[in-house]
Amino acid sequence: MGDGKGAIVEPEITLSPEVQEVLADVIAIRREIHAHPELGYQEVRTAALVAERLQAMGLSVQTGVAETGVVGLLEGGQPGPVVMLRADMDALPIQELTGYPYASQVPGVMHACGHDGHTAALLGAAQVLSAMREQLAGSVKFVFQPAEESRAGAERMVQEGVLQAPRVDAAFGLHLWNSMSLGTVGVTTGPAMAATDYFEIIIRGRGGHAASPHQAVDPVLAAAHFLVTVQSIISRSRDPLAPAVFSIGCIRGGDAGNVIPDEVLLRGTLRTLSQENRTLLLKRIEEVLHGTTQALGATYDYDHRPGYPVLVNDAAMADLAREVAAAVVGKEGVLSPEPTMGGEDMAYYLQEVPGCYLWVGSANPSEEAYPHHNARFNMDERAIGIAVEILVRLARRYLA
Ligand code: NI
Protein backbone atom coordinates (compact mmCIF):
# COMPACT_ATOMS: atom_id res chain seq x y z
CA MET A 1 0.00 0.00 0.00
CA GLY A 2 2.89 2.38 0.79
CA ASP A 3 4.63 4.44 -1.88
CA GLY A 4 7.98 3.03 -0.90
CA LYS A 5 9.47 6.44 -0.09
CA GLY A 6 8.59 6.88 3.57
CA ALA A 7 9.99 5.02 6.52
CA ILE A 8 8.67 1.49 6.85
CA VAL A 9 6.38 1.19 9.83
CA GLU A 10 6.43 -2.26 11.35
CA PRO A 11 2.93 -3.31 12.35
CA GLU A 12 1.99 -3.92 15.95
CA ILE A 13 0.89 -7.48 16.48
CA THR A 14 -0.38 -8.86 19.78
CA LEU A 15 0.16 -12.57 20.27
CA SER A 16 -0.78 -14.39 23.45
CA PRO A 17 1.98 -16.33 25.28
CA GLU A 18 0.23 -19.61 24.36
CA VAL A 19 0.47 -18.79 20.66
CA GLN A 20 4.04 -17.50 20.91
CA GLU A 21 4.99 -20.81 22.47
CA VAL A 22 3.88 -22.88 19.46
CA LEU A 23 5.03 -20.41 16.80
CA ALA A 24 8.45 -21.92 16.01
CA ASP A 25 6.83 -25.32 15.56
CA VAL A 26 4.11 -23.87 13.34
CA ILE A 27 6.67 -22.21 11.06
CA ALA A 28 8.65 -25.46 10.89
CA ILE A 29 5.48 -27.34 9.87
CA ARG A 30 4.70 -24.70 7.25
CA ARG A 31 8.17 -25.08 5.72
CA GLU A 32 7.95 -28.86 5.83
CA ILE A 33 4.64 -28.75 3.94
CA HIS A 34 6.00 -26.07 1.61
CA ALA A 35 8.89 -28.33 0.63
CA HIS A 36 6.47 -31.18 -0.16
CA PRO A 37 3.50 -29.65 -1.95
CA GLU A 38 0.68 -31.86 -3.26
CA LEU A 39 -2.06 -31.10 -5.76
CA GLY A 40 -5.80 -31.35 -5.00
CA TYR A 41 -7.01 -34.80 -3.84
CA GLN A 42 -3.38 -35.97 -3.71
CA GLU A 43 -2.56 -34.44 -0.30
CA VAL A 44 -1.51 -37.82 1.11
CA ARG A 45 1.72 -36.79 2.81
CA THR A 46 0.19 -33.56 4.12
CA ALA A 47 -2.90 -35.36 5.42
CA ALA A 48 -0.72 -37.94 7.20
CA LEU A 49 1.27 -35.16 8.89
CA VAL A 50 -1.95 -33.41 9.95
CA ALA A 51 -3.57 -36.60 11.28
CA GLU A 52 -0.46 -37.57 13.22
CA ARG A 53 -0.25 -34.16 14.85
CA LEU A 54 -3.95 -34.09 15.76
CA GLN A 55 -3.74 -37.58 17.25
CA ALA A 56 -0.74 -36.55 19.32
CA MET A 57 -2.89 -33.73 20.77
CA GLY A 58 -5.46 -36.31 21.89
CA LEU A 59 -8.16 -35.30 19.43
CA SER A 60 -10.49 -37.80 17.78
CA VAL A 61 -9.38 -37.87 14.17
CA GLN A 62 -11.16 -38.88 11.00
CA THR A 63 -9.09 -39.38 7.84
CA GLY A 64 -9.97 -40.05 4.22
CA VAL A 65 -12.86 -37.58 4.22
CA ALA A 66 -13.37 -36.50 0.59
CA GLU A 67 -10.36 -38.68 -0.27
CA THR A 68 -7.57 -36.84 1.57
CA GLY A 69 -9.42 -34.59 4.02
CA VAL A 70 -8.79 -34.80 7.78
CA VAL A 71 -11.14 -33.78 10.58
CA GLY A 72 -10.12 -33.45 14.21
CA LEU A 73 -12.64 -33.02 17.02
CA LEU A 74 -11.76 -31.36 20.30
CA GLU A 75 -14.41 -31.76 22.97
CA GLY A 76 -14.28 -29.11 25.65
CA GLY A 77 -14.58 -29.70 29.38
CA GLN A 78 -18.15 -28.40 29.39
CA PRO A 79 -21.04 -28.85 26.96
CA GLY A 80 -21.78 -26.16 24.39
CA PRO A 81 -21.97 -25.41 20.67
CA VAL A 82 -19.68 -26.68 17.93
CA VAL A 83 -17.44 -24.26 16.07
CA MET A 84 -15.59 -25.32 12.95
CA LEU A 85 -12.21 -23.95 11.85
CA ARG A 86 -11.15 -24.77 8.32
CA ALA A 87 -7.90 -24.91 6.34
CA ASP A 88 -7.18 -25.98 2.77
CA MET A 89 -4.15 -28.18 2.04
CA ASP A 90 -3.63 -28.21 -1.74
CA ALA A 91 -0.82 -26.73 -3.84
CA LEU A 92 -0.65 -25.56 -7.46
CA PRO A 93 0.92 -26.85 -10.69
CA ILE A 94 3.66 -24.19 -10.71
CA GLN A 95 7.45 -24.56 -10.85
CA GLU A 96 8.74 -22.68 -7.79
CA LEU A 97 11.30 -19.92 -8.37
CA THR A 98 11.70 -18.45 -4.87
CA GLY A 99 15.10 -19.97 -4.11
CA TYR A 100 14.07 -20.53 -0.48
CA PRO A 101 16.02 -23.20 1.40
CA TYR A 102 12.64 -24.87 2.00
CA ALA A 103 11.48 -24.45 -1.61
CA SER A 104 9.41 -27.18 -3.24
CA GLN A 105 11.20 -30.47 -3.78
CA VAL A 106 8.48 -31.56 -6.19
CA PRO A 107 9.10 -30.45 -9.77
CA GLY A 108 6.21 -28.42 -11.19
CA VAL A 109 4.25 -28.25 -7.92
CA MET A 110 4.31 -25.33 -5.48
CA HIS A 111 2.46 -23.91 -2.51
CA ALA A 112 2.00 -20.61 -4.32
CA CYS A 113 -1.25 -19.62 -2.63
CA GLY A 114 -0.33 -19.98 1.03
CA HIS A 115 -2.38 -23.08 1.83
CA ASP A 116 0.73 -24.49 3.52
CA GLY A 117 0.43 -21.56 5.93
CA HIS A 118 -3.29 -22.20 6.45
CA THR A 119 -2.65 -25.86 7.31
CA ALA A 120 0.21 -25.03 9.69
CA ALA A 121 -1.77 -22.22 11.35
CA LEU A 122 -4.77 -24.48 11.97
CA LEU A 123 -2.52 -27.14 13.49
CA GLY A 124 -1.06 -24.42 15.73
CA ALA A 125 -4.54 -23.35 16.78
CA ALA A 126 -5.44 -26.98 17.52
CA GLN A 127 -2.33 -27.29 19.67
CA VAL A 128 -3.17 -24.16 21.69
CA LEU A 129 -6.88 -24.97 22.05
CA SER A 130 -6.29 -28.59 23.04
CA ALA A 131 -4.13 -27.35 25.94
CA MET A 132 -7.09 -25.32 27.22
CA ARG A 133 -9.66 -28.06 26.61
CA GLU A 134 -11.01 -27.96 30.18
CA GLN A 135 -11.92 -24.28 29.87
CA LEU A 136 -13.89 -24.71 26.64
CA ALA A 137 -17.69 -24.90 26.76
CA GLY A 138 -18.39 -26.76 23.54
CA SER A 139 -16.38 -28.39 20.78
CA VAL A 140 -14.01 -27.30 18.07
CA LYS A 141 -13.95 -29.14 14.76
CA PHE A 142 -10.69 -28.72 12.86
CA VAL A 143 -11.32 -29.30 9.17
CA PHE A 144 -8.40 -29.82 6.78
CA GLN A 145 -9.86 -30.10 3.32
CA PRO A 146 -8.37 -31.11 -0.01
CA ALA A 147 -8.59 -29.39 -3.37
CA GLU A 148 -9.66 -25.80 -2.83
CA GLU A 149 -8.12 -24.77 -6.16
CA SER A 150 -11.09 -25.16 -8.53
CA ARG A 151 -11.88 -28.75 -7.56
CA ALA A 152 -14.41 -28.06 -4.82
CA GLY A 153 -12.92 -30.10 -1.98
CA ALA A 154 -15.27 -28.28 0.39
CA GLU A 155 -18.36 -29.43 -1.51
CA ARG A 156 -17.28 -33.04 -1.08
CA MET A 157 -16.45 -32.51 2.59
CA VAL A 158 -20.02 -31.22 3.09
CA GLN A 159 -21.46 -34.15 1.11
CA GLU A 160 -19.48 -36.55 3.29
CA GLY A 161 -21.00 -35.07 6.42
CA VAL A 162 -18.32 -32.77 7.83
CA LEU A 163 -21.01 -30.39 9.12
CA GLN A 164 -22.77 -33.23 11.00
CA ALA A 165 -22.03 -35.53 13.94
CA PRO A 166 -21.64 -33.34 15.86
CA ARG A 167 -23.57 -30.67 14.00
CA VAL A 168 -21.54 -27.53 13.31
CA ASP A 169 -23.08 -24.26 14.55
CA ALA A 170 -20.63 -21.82 12.98
CA ALA A 171 -17.65 -22.00 10.62
CA PHE A 172 -14.59 -19.82 10.21
CA GLY A 173 -11.72 -19.83 7.77
CA LEU A 174 -9.08 -17.43 6.58
CA HIS A 175 -6.72 -16.75 3.72
CA LEU A 176 -3.23 -15.33 4.12
CA TRP A 177 -3.31 -12.50 1.60
CA ASN A 178 -0.44 -10.77 -0.16
CA SER A 179 -2.60 -7.93 -1.49
CA MET A 180 -2.80 -6.65 2.09
CA SER A 181 0.15 -5.69 4.29
CA LEU A 182 1.20 -7.59 7.34
CA GLY A 183 -0.72 -6.31 10.35
CA THR A 184 -4.01 -5.85 8.53
CA VAL A 185 -7.03 -8.16 8.55
CA GLY A 186 -9.94 -7.87 6.13
CA VAL A 187 -13.52 -8.77 7.00
CA THR A 188 -16.39 -8.18 4.56
CA THR A 189 -19.99 -8.42 5.74
CA GLY A 190 -22.44 -10.21 3.44
CA PRO A 191 -21.45 -11.39 -0.06
CA ALA A 192 -17.65 -11.36 -0.06
CA MET A 193 -16.61 -13.58 -2.95
CA ALA A 194 -18.28 -14.43 -6.24
CA ALA A 195 -20.24 -17.37 -7.51
CA THR A 196 -18.19 -18.86 -10.35
CA ASP A 197 -19.52 -20.42 -13.54
CA TYR A 198 -17.48 -21.80 -16.42
CA PHE A 199 -18.41 -22.25 -20.07
CA GLU A 200 -17.17 -24.13 -23.03
CA ILE A 201 -18.99 -23.19 -26.19
CA ILE A 202 -18.50 -24.62 -29.67
CA ILE A 203 -20.05 -22.62 -32.48
CA ARG A 204 -20.56 -24.87 -35.48
CA GLY A 205 -20.78 -23.68 -39.06
CA ARG A 206 -19.82 -25.32 -42.34
CA GLY A 207 -16.28 -24.93 -43.61
CA GLY A 208 -15.43 -23.70 -47.08
CA HIS A 209 -13.33 -21.41 -49.22
CA ALA A 210 -12.86 -17.91 -47.84
CA ALA A 211 -13.54 -16.56 -51.34
CA SER A 212 -16.95 -18.28 -51.47
CA PRO A 213 -18.52 -17.60 -48.07
CA HIS A 214 -22.00 -17.93 -49.58
CA GLN A 215 -21.35 -21.66 -49.92
CA ALA A 216 -20.28 -21.95 -46.27
CA VAL A 217 -21.59 -21.07 -42.82
CA ASP A 218 -18.96 -18.94 -41.08
CA PRO A 219 -18.54 -19.81 -37.36
CA VAL A 220 -15.84 -17.13 -36.98
CA LEU A 221 -18.28 -14.34 -37.79
CA ALA A 222 -20.94 -15.93 -35.56
CA ALA A 223 -18.41 -16.14 -32.72
CA ALA A 224 -17.53 -12.48 -33.24
CA HIS A 225 -21.20 -11.47 -33.04
CA PHE A 226 -21.70 -13.57 -29.92
CA LEU A 227 -18.59 -12.12 -28.24
CA VAL A 228 -19.74 -8.55 -28.74
CA THR A 229 -23.43 -9.09 -28.04
CA VAL A 230 -22.96 -11.19 -24.91
CA GLN A 231 -21.24 -8.26 -23.15
CA SER A 232 -24.49 -6.34 -23.49
CA ILE A 233 -26.07 -8.61 -20.89
CA ILE A 234 -23.74 -6.98 -18.35
CA SER A 235 -24.87 -3.48 -19.35
CA ARG A 236 -28.52 -4.21 -20.28
CA SER A 237 -29.80 -7.31 -18.46
CA ARG A 238 -28.03 -6.87 -15.13
CA ASP A 239 -29.21 -4.61 -12.34
CA PRO A 240 -26.55 -1.86 -12.42
CA LEU A 241 -26.20 -2.13 -8.64
CA ALA A 242 -25.51 -5.88 -8.73
CA PRO A 243 -21.90 -6.70 -9.59
CA ALA A 244 -21.25 -9.21 -12.37
CA VAL A 245 -18.55 -9.91 -14.92
CA PHE A 246 -18.43 -12.22 -17.91
CA SER A 247 -15.09 -12.88 -19.59
CA ILE A 248 -14.16 -15.05 -22.53
CA GLY A 249 -10.55 -16.07 -21.96
CA CYS A 250 -10.10 -18.46 -24.86
CA ILE A 251 -11.16 -18.43 -28.50
CA ARG A 252 -9.87 -20.90 -31.01
CA GLY A 253 -10.86 -21.61 -34.57
CA GLY A 254 -9.38 -21.99 -38.01
CA ASP A 255 -5.82 -22.27 -39.28
CA ALA A 256 -5.53 -20.52 -42.63
CA GLY A 257 -6.49 -17.06 -43.83
CA ASN A 258 -8.29 -18.41 -46.89
CA VAL A 259 -10.33 -21.13 -45.20
CA ILE A 260 -13.61 -20.80 -43.34
CA PRO A 261 -13.36 -23.38 -40.53
CA ASP A 262 -16.07 -25.77 -39.39
CA GLU A 263 -16.13 -24.59 -35.81
CA VAL A 264 -14.88 -22.14 -33.20
CA LEU A 265 -14.27 -22.94 -29.54
CA LEU A 266 -14.78 -20.38 -26.77
CA ARG A 267 -14.14 -20.68 -23.05
CA GLY A 268 -15.19 -18.18 -20.43
CA THR A 269 -16.39 -17.50 -16.94
CA LEU A 270 -19.26 -15.64 -15.28
CA ARG A 271 -18.86 -14.13 -11.80
CA THR A 272 -21.80 -12.86 -9.75
CA LEU A 273 -22.46 -11.90 -6.14
CA SER A 274 -26.06 -13.10 -5.82
CA GLN A 275 -27.88 -16.26 -6.78
CA GLU A 276 -30.68 -14.22 -8.34
CA ASN A 277 -28.29 -12.38 -10.64
CA ARG A 278 -26.47 -15.61 -11.39
CA THR A 279 -29.63 -17.40 -12.51
CA LEU A 280 -30.70 -14.46 -14.67
CA LEU A 281 -27.35 -13.99 -16.41
CA LEU A 282 -26.85 -17.71 -17.02
CA LYS A 283 -30.17 -17.73 -18.84
CA ARG A 284 -29.28 -14.59 -20.86
CA ILE A 285 -25.89 -15.98 -21.97
CA GLU A 286 -27.53 -18.95 -23.61
CA GLU A 287 -30.28 -16.81 -25.11
CA VAL A 288 -27.69 -14.53 -26.73
CA LEU A 289 -25.74 -17.56 -27.96
CA HIS A 290 -28.89 -19.04 -29.45
CA GLY A 291 -29.96 -15.78 -31.09
CA THR A 292 -26.63 -14.76 -32.60
CA THR A 293 -25.78 -18.19 -33.99
CA GLN A 294 -29.28 -18.76 -35.36
CA ALA A 295 -29.25 -15.39 -37.12
CA LEU A 296 -26.10 -16.45 -39.00
CA GLY A 297 -27.14 -20.03 -39.73
CA ALA A 298 -24.74 -21.61 -37.25
CA THR A 299 -25.44 -24.02 -34.39
CA TYR A 300 -23.73 -24.51 -31.06
CA ASP A 301 -22.82 -26.85 -28.21
CA TYR A 302 -23.14 -25.20 -24.84
CA ASP A 303 -21.39 -26.76 -21.87
CA HIS A 304 -21.95 -24.90 -18.61
CA ARG A 305 -20.11 -26.07 -15.52
CA PRO A 306 -21.17 -24.45 -12.25
CA GLY A 307 -18.23 -23.51 -10.02
CA TYR A 308 -18.48 -22.27 -6.43
CA PRO A 309 -21.51 -20.58 -4.84
CA VAL A 310 -21.41 -16.98 -3.61
CA LEU A 311 -19.43 -16.73 -0.37
CA VAL A 312 -21.61 -14.90 2.16
CA ASN A 313 -20.28 -13.80 5.55
CA ASP A 314 -22.97 -13.72 8.23
CA ALA A 315 -23.29 -10.21 9.71
CA ALA A 316 -23.05 -11.28 13.36
CA MET A 317 -20.12 -13.63 12.66
CA ALA A 318 -18.35 -10.89 10.67
CA ASP A 319 -18.73 -8.55 13.66
CA LEU A 320 -17.28 -11.22 15.92
CA ALA A 321 -14.38 -11.69 13.49
CA ARG A 322 -13.68 -7.93 13.48
CA GLU A 323 -13.67 -7.83 17.26
CA VAL A 324 -11.25 -10.76 17.40
CA ALA A 325 -9.00 -9.30 14.68
CA ALA A 326 -8.88 -5.93 16.46
CA ALA A 327 -7.47 -7.65 19.54
CA VAL A 328 -4.59 -8.97 17.42
CA VAL A 329 -3.75 -6.18 14.97
CA GLY A 330 -5.49 -3.19 16.60
CA LYS A 331 -8.64 -1.41 15.44
CA GLU A 332 -6.81 0.45 12.65
CA GLY A 333 -5.55 -2.85 11.29
CA VAL A 334 -9.05 -4.18 10.66
CA LEU A 335 -10.28 -3.35 7.16
CA SER A 336 -13.62 -3.95 5.44
CA PRO A 337 -12.61 -4.73 1.85
CA GLU A 338 -15.04 -4.60 -1.04
CA PRO A 339 -16.13 -8.05 -2.23
CA THR A 340 -13.93 -9.70 -4.86
CA MET A 341 -15.05 -11.50 -8.00
CA GLY A 342 -12.73 -14.39 -7.22
CA GLY A 343 -14.28 -17.64 -5.98
CA GLU A 344 -13.52 -19.72 -2.89
CA ASP A 345 -15.00 -23.07 -1.90
CA MET A 346 -15.38 -22.01 1.76
CA ALA A 347 -18.70 -20.82 0.32
CA TYR A 348 -20.07 -24.41 0.49
CA TYR A 349 -19.79 -24.44 4.30
CA LEU A 350 -21.09 -20.89 4.66
CA GLN A 351 -24.23 -21.61 2.68
CA GLU A 352 -25.09 -24.27 5.28
CA VAL A 353 -24.00 -22.62 8.54
CA PRO A 354 -23.31 -19.01 9.56
CA GLY A 355 -19.70 -18.02 9.69
CA CYS A 356 -17.02 -15.79 8.27
CA TYR A 357 -14.04 -15.95 5.96
CA LEU A 358 -11.25 -13.49 6.71
CA TRP A 359 -8.25 -12.09 4.86
CA VAL A 360 -5.02 -11.95 6.83
CA GLY A 361 -2.52 -9.51 5.30
CA SER A 362 0.77 -11.29 4.53
CA ALA A 363 2.76 -8.80 2.44
CA ASN A 364 6.10 -7.95 4.02
CA PRO A 365 6.19 -4.17 4.55
CA SER A 366 9.77 -3.83 3.27
CA GLU A 367 9.99 -6.09 0.23
CA GLU A 368 8.05 -6.58 -2.96
CA ALA A 369 5.18 -9.00 -2.39
CA TYR A 370 4.59 -11.32 -5.32
CA PRO A 371 0.96 -12.20 -5.94
CA HIS A 372 -0.68 -15.52 -5.18
CA HIS A 373 -0.24 -18.17 -7.88
CA ASN A 374 3.09 -16.58 -8.86
CA ALA A 375 6.22 -18.76 -9.00
CA ARG A 376 7.92 -16.27 -6.62
CA PHE A 377 5.02 -16.03 -4.14
CA ASN A 378 6.59 -14.86 -0.88
CA MET A 379 4.33 -14.41 2.13
CA ASP A 380 5.62 -12.85 5.35
CA GLU A 381 5.58 -15.78 7.79
CA ARG A 382 4.67 -13.49 10.68
CA ALA A 383 1.17 -13.52 9.18
CA ILE A 384 0.93 -17.18 10.13
CA GLY A 385 1.27 -16.22 13.82
CA ILE A 386 -1.55 -13.71 13.35
CA ALA A 387 -3.62 -16.46 11.74
CA VAL A 388 -3.05 -18.84 14.67
CA GLU A 389 -4.00 -16.13 17.16
CA ILE A 390 -7.16 -15.23 15.23
CA LEU A 391 -8.26 -18.87 14.90
CA VAL A 392 -7.72 -19.50 18.62
CA ARG A 393 -9.60 -16.34 19.58
CA LEU A 394 -12.47 -17.04 17.16
CA ALA A 395 -13.05 -20.45 18.72
CA ARG A 396 -12.76 -19.18 22.30
CA ARG A 397 -14.92 -16.17 21.65
CA TYR A 398 -17.61 -18.19 19.87
CA LEU A 399 -17.73 -20.80 22.65
CA ALA A 400 -17.70 -18.17 25.40
NI1 NI B 1 -5.85 -19.91 -2.05
Side-chain angles (χ1 to χ4, degrees):
M1 300 292 273
D3 61 5
K5 287 172 204 145
I8 288 152
V9 182
E10 288 295 332
E12 263 189 50
I13 302 164
T14 310
L15 299 184
S16 58
E18 294 90 342
V19 169
Q20 287 180 33
E21 206 172 297
V22 301
L23 216 47
D25 191 36
V26 168
I27 299 300
I29 293 173
R30 184 256 162 165
R31 294 183 175 191
E32 161 73 17
I33 297 173
H34 191 89
H36 302 95
E38 296 167 302
L39 296 174
Y41 296 122
Q42 297 168 28
E43 304 93 335
V44 177
R45 192 181 192 280
T46 311
L49 181 153
V50 167
E52 190 195 311
R53 290 275 175 163
L54 294 176
Q55 269 149 6
M57 295 169 203
L59 272 60
S60 56
V61 179
Q62 212 186 335
T63 57
V65 187
E67 293 187 34
T68 46
V70 183
V71 180
L73 183 68
L74 174 68
E75 287 175 280
Q78 298 134 57
V82 179
V83 61
M84 167 182 148
L85 303 175
R86 169 272 202 179
D88 40 13
M89 302 188 289
D90 56 324
L92 288 157
I94 292 174
Q95 178 64 44
E96 178 159 353
L97 297 175
T98 60
Y100 290 144
Y102 55 89
S104 172
Q105 294 173 18
V106 184
V109 184
M110 175 188 178
H111 268 294
C113 198
H115 300 187
D116 49 346
H118 304 166
T119 302
L122 188 53
L123 280 174
Q127 182 80 56
V128 171
L129 287 164
S130 60
M132 46 180 78
R133 176 197 295 258
E134 286 313 312
Q135 304 163 37
L136 299 175
S139 299
V140 189
K141 210 181 249 196
F142 300 94
V143 172
F144 298 81
Q145 68 155 81
E148 188 283 322
E149 300 286 356
S150 67
R151 299 204 45 211
E155 184 180 29
R156 288 195 48 189
M157 296 291 283
V158 172
Q159 284 165 357
E160 297 193 15
V162 74
L163 297 174
Q164 308 302 325
R167 209 174 64 83
V168 169
D169 296 296
F172 295 93
L174 52 79
H175 208 303
L176 298 160
W177 204 234
N178 265 16
S179 308
M180 287 168 38
S181 349
L182 183 81
T184 62
V185 173
V187 180
T188 305
T189 298
M193 296 186 75
T196 58
D197 287 277
Y198 297 91
F199 302 87
E200 184 164 296
I201 293 164
I202 298 173
I203 296 181
R204 298 188 190 282
R206 191 173 62 245
H209 199 296
S212 309
H214 59 295
Q215 291 168 356
V217 173
D218 185 356
V220 176
L221 185 66
H225 275 271
F226 168 69
L227 266 184
V228 173
T229 312
V230 76
Q231 285 303 335
S232 70
I233 68 169
I234 299 297
S235 72
R236 303 293 87 175
S237 302
R238 173 186 64 108
D239 177 339
L241 298 179
V245 60
F246 181 64
S247 292
I248 300 274
C250 165
I251 174 163
R252 236 177 258 162
D255 291 303
N258 62 350
V259 176
I260 291 169
D262 281 318
E263 59 185 47
V264 172
L265 165 79
L266 303 113
R267 291 198 182 108
T269 181
L270 173 73
R271 306 295 170 99
T272 47
L273 286 178
S274 77
Q275 188 55 44
E276 189 191 358
N277 211 17
R278 184 185 193 186
T279 308
L280 169 77
L281 296 182
L282 285 174
K283 181 170 146 276
R284 290 294 293 135
I285 289 168
E286 192 172 4
E287 285 170 357
V288 169
L289 178 62
H290 182 83
T292 47
T293 50
Q294 195 184 43
L296 295 165
T299 58
Y300 63 87
D301 294 342
Y302 177 75
D303 180 17
H304 161 236
R305 275 169 297 127
Y308 301 160
V310 188
L311 185 149
V312 182
N313 286 331
D314 177 83
M317 296 300 111
D319 285 346
L320 187 148
R322 279 194 192 92
E323 181 197 314
V324 158
V328 186
V329 296
K331 255 201 162 100
E332 330 70 59
V334 183
L335 313 175
S336 299
E338 291 294 320
T340 85
M341 298 311 263
E344 160 64 53
D345 76 354
M346 180 78 192
Y348 286 102
Y349 309 112
L350 296 182
Q351 68 179 3
E352 304 292 331
V353 297
C356 186
Y357 190 64
L358 303 78
W359 304 109
V360 175
S362 55
N364 183 298
S366 52
E367 68 177 30
E368 185 191 353
Y370 286 93
H372 295 256
H373 295 212
N374 184 294
R376 291 188 166 81
F377 175 70
N378 58 339
M379 72 159 106
D380 187 322
E381 285 182 321
R382 287 176 292 173
I384 299 173
I386 298 176
V388 177
E389 185 72 43
I390 286 176
L391 291 166
V392 168
R393 283 176 180 268
L394 281 170
R396 296 189 70 185
R397 179 70 184 74
Y398 185 81
L399 298 181

